[in-house]
Amino acid sequence: MDQILPLLVAIPLGAAFLIPILVRVWRRFPDILGNLSTLALLVMSLLLVGREPSTYYMGGWRPPLGINLVADGLSVLLLIVISSIAFCATLFSIPYMEKYTSKSRYYSLFMLMVAGMNGVVLTGDMFNLYVFLEIASIASYALVAFGTEAEELEASFKYMIMGCVASTFVLFGVGILYGRTGTLNMAHLARIVDRDGMSPAILFASALFLMGFGLKAGMVPFHAWLPDAHPAAPAPISAMLSGVLIKAIGMYAIARFFYVVFGMDGLTSTVFMALGLLSMVVGALLAVGQWDFKRLLAYSSISQMGYVMLGLGIGTPLGVLGALFHLLNHATFKGLLFLCSGAIEHGTGTRDMGKMGGLIRGMPLTGTTCSVGSLSISGIPPFNGFWSKLIIIVAAVQAGHYAIAAVVVLLSFLTLTYYLRLMRHSIFGDLPEALKGIREAPALMGIPLVLLAVCCLSLGLLYPVLKPLLLGPATDVLLRAGDYIDLVLGG
Amino acid sequence: MKGMSLIVRTIARVVTTFIFLYSAYIVVYGHITPGGGFPGGVILALGVMLLMLAFGREVPLRKLPEGRASVLDCLGALGFWAIALLGLTAGYFFLNFLGKGEPFRLVSAGTMPLCNISISVKVGVSLFAVLAALSIYRRFYPPGGEPPEDMSGG
């Protein structure tokens, strides 16, 4: 059963290199192989749910010498997020990517990105994490530029420059930690930090990590690349970037390092809360004035990731639970909304909300699912966004941060405002003359929309089932760092 | 005329042989001396780069067109991947199931030399493809023409 862990990285990696060869045999192979791989990943990550945390030694070398893979609650939660959104995105890509040339390169890069993200969430080795981070990032730079128009190239260039700076920060951090402690294994490092305490060098390395991973997570003030890069990419890639990538290589790495390896203290907690609040406020204020459908969603991602960061900053069991639940929920509704934006662009040929309106009459399925996504992200009960925001607000109140709780409530109204505006201008209202002939998106684009809309509705209602199976174990990983060390190094 | 002068071309023709030989040495001896698949692959690509500079990009591209380079590049990566997967059948992913290395012996170290060879193919051909792409797409506008409006602004 543990043999699944390396396969979670090996399958997408193998698919990435098989696709460019097999496309010469048959033109449809990229579609088939891409979808089969993501389906296999989804099944395998679901198989890991509810199982005891396990660890896998690459090549049979034991830590702290060898590289090990760890599947604990937090990794499994992220694996499920990655593979479910990746499956929906590949399914959506079959009809959507027809308008681009070279589908095989698209799938190849997509699979590399998935392999990188799976590697980041599974690995127990810092340098290995950096390598997987780069695999995922570099694949995403190329995917953002996939349209090769001036806008895409500019966005990709900006993303690449800022992403490289972030990766360099992470590499410096890894170098400092290795020089200081002589280990690259995260559990071993956690034990050393626990024994010797935080020295100034380790504190400096943690600041580098916060900047590096914070940039990948799109936290304000490191967010400038995100509103360009996410809208410029093809819609399924936007869904992957906003829905998954910023969480897997940004938020997950922050949570893993600061909770499990370095250990949380008052200072880190305050910094997290400040970054979270700043991202929430700035992201939401910038989203309000946007007329570009996808750009609005991108700014909203910054704001919503602020909620996750805030929850992690509060640091109480309820706060962490709320943060992880919001992370899961955000993947579903932001994935859904970006795929909807793709379906709308496919049907109308525009992303400008000023030229849309009344789309629900021409595209009832897309309109309905887009409304579900908007209501979920705005925090309307009974959709899933409401529950996770509620948990974060309750956690803030319980921890005595009344002002922060008030800001979160106010920002939820602001979120509702700009999503109501989005719905008013695109889905409802009058259908413009130019769009009279629009038709519903093809069935293969509709299926992922329905799947994700069902998730938006059911994740909130299924919370009593989700908590013991998925969210509880993930929260425990962050709150009981000792378990991780014991799991990897043995008691 | 494509390429550089007769002197450069003659010397490049002679030197390239040695560069390729050196690259093969670095790859094959990777497990017992400093070196390995990555540096060997880079040296291989640098040899091709010399050919490209001396004879013009058509000469190496005629031997290895882009399409075939892409396939070879993927095959190199798949070779490495397959070796790791074979280890899985023997117990662990990446397990060296063919036995351990002996100091100063060329035919030893199990899967390591095989890994080095696949990496050298991957790296060498990838870098060749990068060089080819850089030389093919170096111009964004037709030769002799002015750059179009939207490109000149960056």
Side-chain angles (χ1 to χ4, degrees), chain B residues 11-36:
Chain B
I11 293 186
R13 195 177 292 138
V14 176
V15 169
T16 314
T17 320
F18 290 104
I19 294 180
F20 287 159
L21 191 67
Y22 181 56
S23 141
Y25 166 79
I26 291 283
V27 174
V28 175
Y29 280 80
H31 55 294
I32 41 181
T33 58

Side-chain angles (χ1 to χ4, degrees), chain A residues 3 6-7 9-11 13-18 20-21 24 56-62 105 150 153-154, chain B residues 66-68 70-75 77-78 81 85 88 91-96 100 122 140 150-151 154:
Chain A
Q3 303 285 20
L7 286 181
V9 182
I11 286 180
L13 209 55
F17 293 115
L18 272 175
I21 297 179
R24 286 153 191 274
Y56 186 87
Y57 310 115
M58 296 286 249
W61 294 90
R62 306 242 153 199
R105 291 200 184 120
L153 292 175
E154 190 197 334
Chain B
E66 300 133 82
R68 214 178 294 161
S70 158
V71 171
L72 206 57
D73 169 52
C74 291
L75 284 179
L78 279 176
W81 178 76
L85 268 192
L88 193 64
Y92 279 106
F93 197 63
F94 269 116
L95 183 72
N96 188 347
K100 298 215 166 24
K122 165 78 191 159
F140 282 101
D150 55 333
M151 282 297 175

